[in-house]
Amino acid sequence: MHFNHYGGEAARLAAGLVNLTESPRPEDLETLLVAHGVVNRALTTTQVESIWEWSRRLAVCFGRQDLEERCHAVNELLADASSSPRISLHDGQPHLHYSAIGADAAAHIRAVTAAGLAYVICSADADRLGRCARRSCALAFVDTSRNGRRAYCSVRCANNDAVARHRDRGRASQDRTHS
C-alpha cells in the first residue's frame, strides 16, 4: 500500500511517537522527525513536553478496537490540533498542508499526526493502525502491507513469536509423552 507524505507517513510518525518509552529531549526527537520528513523540527523543551503528552493521546488510536471508538478518539485529536488545512504549490504540485502558515513545529506535528490517522481510517482501513501481536512487545505500527493483515511490528517480532509458539508446542507434546 502506498501512502502519501501527509497521510500514511504522518500516521507512521504518530506510531513512532507512540512508541517512545519516556519523555524525550529535543535532540532525541531529531532522528524520528527526520525519518518521517518533518522539515520544521526546531522544538523547545516545552514543545517537546507537549509532544510527549500528545503521543500518549495518540496511543489510544492504535490496536484492535471498535471503529466508532477509534473515530471518536481521532476526532478529538483533530479538534485539539485544529488548524486550517490549505493547498500548497511550493514544489509545483498541489498538495495539502495541515498546519497553519507560521505554525510552530509542535503545532505542525500535532496537526499532521492527527490528519495522518484520519487519512488511514478513511482512505485505507482503521485496522491498519495496529499493535504488535507479540505478547512482550505491543509496539504501535501502521500496516502498509498489500492485504492489510499484518500482526507484528517487525519481521523480528514475527519470527521470535513463531519460534516461541514452536517451542511451546514441542514442550506440550513432550509433556504428553511423559505423562
Side-chain angles (χ1 to χ4, degrees):
M1 163 164 251
H2 176 70
F3 284 136
N4 68 26
H5 175 74
Y6 284 109
E9 191 58 41
R12 288 197 287 235
L13 170 59
L17 292 170
V18 166
N19 292 334
L20 294 171
T21 57
E22 60 186 15
S23 182
R25 296 172 306 178
E27 57 272 17
D28 296 334
L29 285 180
E30 180 75 14
T31 303
L32 179 64
L33 298 176
V34 167
H36 294 287
V38 176
V39 176
N40 181 6
R41 313 183 281 281
L43 293 164
T44 66
T45 302
T46 302
Q47 289 170 326
V48 170
E49 289 170 11
S50 78
I51 294 300
W52 169 251
E53 291 167 14
W54 182 255
S55 74
R56 303 306 87 191
R57 293 184 59 200
L58 293 168
V60 301
C61 300
F62 289 86
R64 294 235 172 257
Q65 61 189 274
D66 177 72
L67 179 60
E68 195 169 319
E69 289 175 26
R70 189 183 323 255
C71 289
H72 177 74
V74 172
N75 280 335
E76 285 185 351
L77 293 169
L78 287 166
D80 290 346
S82 66
S83 65
S84 300
R86 65 190 180 354
I87 298 172
S88 173
L89 291 170
H90 70 80
D91 64 358
Q93 293 295 319
H95 60 275
L96 281 173
H97 279 238
Y98 291 103
S99 58
I101 296 172
D104 67 41
H108 174 72
I109 291 166
R110 287 190 299 273
V112 299
T113 53
L117 295 176
Y119 171 85
V120 171
I121 291 169
C122 296
S123 299
D125 181 356
D127 289 336
R128 287 183 178 264
L129 301 174
R131 289 276 185 176
C132 187
R134 186 172 171 217
R135 282 188 306 256
S136 61
C137 182
L139 286 177
F141 65 89
V142 179
D143 180 356
T144 58
S145 68
R146 183 177 295 204
N147 67 6
R149 304 246 189 267
R150 186 170 148 198
Y152 297 93
C153 67
S154 65
V155 172
R156 182 179 183 177
C157 272
N159 289 342
N160 287 344
D161 206 39
V163 168
R165 286 192 314 271
H166 175 74
R167 288 180 180 156
D168 288 345
R169 282 192 304 272
R171 275 187 230 121
S173 99
Q174 208 173 33
D175 290 345
R176 282 192 301 268
T177 59
H178 290 340
S179 350

